[in-house]
Amino acid sequence: MSSKDISFAPPRGMRDFYPEDMIERSFLFDTWKKSALRFGFQHYDACVVETMDLLRRKAGEEISDQIYTFKDKSDRDLALRPEMTPTLARMIAAKQGSLSFPIKWFSIPQCFRYERTTRGRKREHFQWNLDIVGDPSVYAEAEVIACAATSLASLGIQKDAYRVRFNNRRLLADLLSSYSIPEDQHPSVFLALDKKGKVPDEKIREILSENGIPETTVFKIDEMAACQSLDDVSSVVPTSPGLAETDRFLDAAAAFGIDDVLEFDLSVIRGLAYYTGIVFEAFDSARQLRAIFGGGRYDNLLSTIGGGDITAVGLGFGDVVVSELMRDLGIDSPPMTEDTILVGYMSDEQREVSTRIATALRRQGHNVCLASKAQKPKAFFKGAGGSNCAKAAFIGPDDVDSGQIKLKNLTTRDETVVAISEILKV
Ligand code: HAM
């Protein structure tokens, strides 16, 4: 291979994060973390590699075809996790006897999916996960959405910039039953309906007939999809338990102050097979991007993977789409000023004393960035101004002779004179 053929790009769909990219990423992660803590969620994490055995147990949708799989040296089938939810279910099942429910946990895992890459869609992304396990009430759905909305506000994304479209799979099931579509066909119909608007109707018909669903059902589904509002739906199934639950969800959302961002949308189904109740997806108001976050209730996942019968609700909020949205809205991440002292010196003769000063300051608990080459003061302070350090000290021969250095605050430009002997005392 000639050097001309060598590519320095990361594998397709994967990303590198240079220090300037990390400013944006750290701001996002910190915002997510603060919002989760504000709502009382506890931080957890897990390994990136998961067993195929677990992922197969909850399979049944497109995501299963997108898994990065490999065999380890002992021939075990492993995968890079495509999402965190099965891992969370496994972790809870493992300690189910000792956990006290309900639990509220959050994490920011990196997930891998072999997808067709488009704007907002990569083959690797970080996904903030918020889950409440063991709370059967629709207040749990409203709470995870309220927490996500809080983080959007902290990122500078106002309520008019997005909408959370929601639906209820239980209500949809009531509707399907009212159109005489048998219950055992519901899961396949859900996944086919999720494709509506994303692939040609012909393709949906094909998917349905591959799942043994007759042509007549397809026409009923088209008829049902004409329901636009909750009022339309309630005129078809006025006494449906799913409808009553949806009303309760709206009341809970009002109590959390997020009812104004919610919009009922019968076409929101979600591509994952495990959801059982309220499902939701947040989109930018201009509808330029893919979903900002999505989630819902998944009451059977724990038992499906072999754990106990425990209800669960959660959402996943990726880093890619929200970053695109912030760019579209002209929102910059605030510059990260680190509480770091930059220490520089005029010539190699002051390198030793500068190193001793830096070492003493570090022992006192300061972050210190020590220059690795001598510089003229002008060049040093120019560099210091462009850095994100909070303070700077420049040490020249006169400072060593006088036994004092000036510590400059790079924001206020104030200078404090400190005796070198004082610093080195520690
Ligand atoms: P999901 O809808 O597949 O749900 O993903 C959640 C979010 O992750 C999406 O709305 C999007 O922001 C981001 N995301 C997903 N795939 C990609 C990708 N290829 N590139 C960039 N961003 C992506 C789940 O994964 C569920 N496990 C969420 C959940 C948690 N449900 C309950 N608890």
Side-chain angles (χ1 to χ4, degrees), residues 15 63 66 82-86 88 111-113 115-116 120-131 270-272 274-275 280-282 290-298 313-322:
R15 294 169 297 165
I63 197 173
Q66 300 169 338
E83 55 162 336
M84 193 62 155
T85 314
L88 170 72
C111 302
F112 298 82
R113 297 180 189 180
E115 292 206 56
R116 212 164 52 81
R121 205 110 304 219
K122 306 269 176 213
R123 290 186 175 162
E124 149 278 314
H125 70 283
F126 287 92
Q127 193 190 97
W128 182 34
N129 275 245
L130 285 175
D131 290 270
R270 306 274 297 133
L272 292 155
Y274 49 66
Y275 292 112
F280 52 84
E281 276 176 348
R290 307 190 61 156
I292 307 167
F293 64 78
R297 178 165 287 277
Y298 53 102
V313 161
L315 63 80
F317 184 148
D319 63 334
V320 184
V321 177
V322 78

Side-chain angles (χ1 to χ4, degrees), residues 76 250 286 344 420:
R76 292 186 192 92
L250 284 170
I420 296 176

Side-chain angles (χ1 to χ4, degrees), residues 94-277:
K95 292 215 167 178
Q96 205 161 315
S98 58
L99 292 169
S100 85
F101 295 98
I103 58 169
K104 294 165 71 177
W105 284 4
F106 82 95
S107 64
I108 308 178
Q110 192 173 18
C111 302
F112 298 82
R113 297 180 189 180
Y114 194 83
E115 292 206 56
R116 212 164 52 81
T117 55
T118 55
R119 188 172 178 222
R121 205 110 304 219
K122 306 269 176 213
R123 290 186 175 162
E124 149 278 314
H125 70 283
F126 287 92
Q127 193 190 97
W128 182 34
N129 275 245
L130 285 175
D131 290 270
I132 303 181
V133 181
D135 181 353
S137 123
V138 281
Y139 272 80
E141 280 90 328
E143 181 155 22
V144 289
I145 299 173
C147 184
T150 297
S151 80
L152 285 170
S154 303
L155 291 170
I157 300 171
Q158 306 307 328
K159 278 183 165 181
D160 59 356
Y162 69 94
R163 282 289 162 270
V164 181
R165 294 166 189 273
F166 75 97
N167 191 4
N168 187 346
R169 283 198 184 182
R170 283 197 247 269
L171 173 60
L172 208 52
D174 294 339
L175 263 176
L176 293 177
S177 300
S178 79
Y179 284 95
S180 315
I181 299 169
E183 219 168 285
D184 61 333
Q185 292 182 0
H186 291 184
S188 318
V189 174
F190 288 161
L191 293 181
L193 272 179
D194 179 60
K195 300 258 171 301
K196 227 174 162 21
K198 298 175 193 157
V199 299
D201 281 1
E202 198 43 50
K203 177 82 192 150
I204 296 177
R205 263 175 217 142
E206 245 174 68
I207 301 173
L208 285 168
S209 68
E210 273 164 22
N211 283 287
I213 293 163
E215 183 91 350
T216 47
T217 305
V218 180
F219 294 117
K220 288 181 193 164
I221 290 170
D222 284 344
E223 209 178 303
M224 192 187 82
C227 289
Q228 297 285 328
S229 64
L230 260 181
D231 285 343
D232 292 345
V233 177
S234 72
S235 64
V236 183
V237 283
T239 56
S240 133
L243 187 65
E245 185 184 60
T246 309
D247 285 340
R248 287 199 300 279
F249 165 65
L250 284 170
D251 290 342
F256 277 103
I258 48 149
D259 48 329
D260 49 348
V261 296
L262 292 179
E263 247 171 44
F264 177 74
D265 185 340
L266 199 63
S267 70
V268 170
I269 315 280
R270 306 274 297 133
L272 292 155
Y274 49 66
Y275 292 112
T276 52

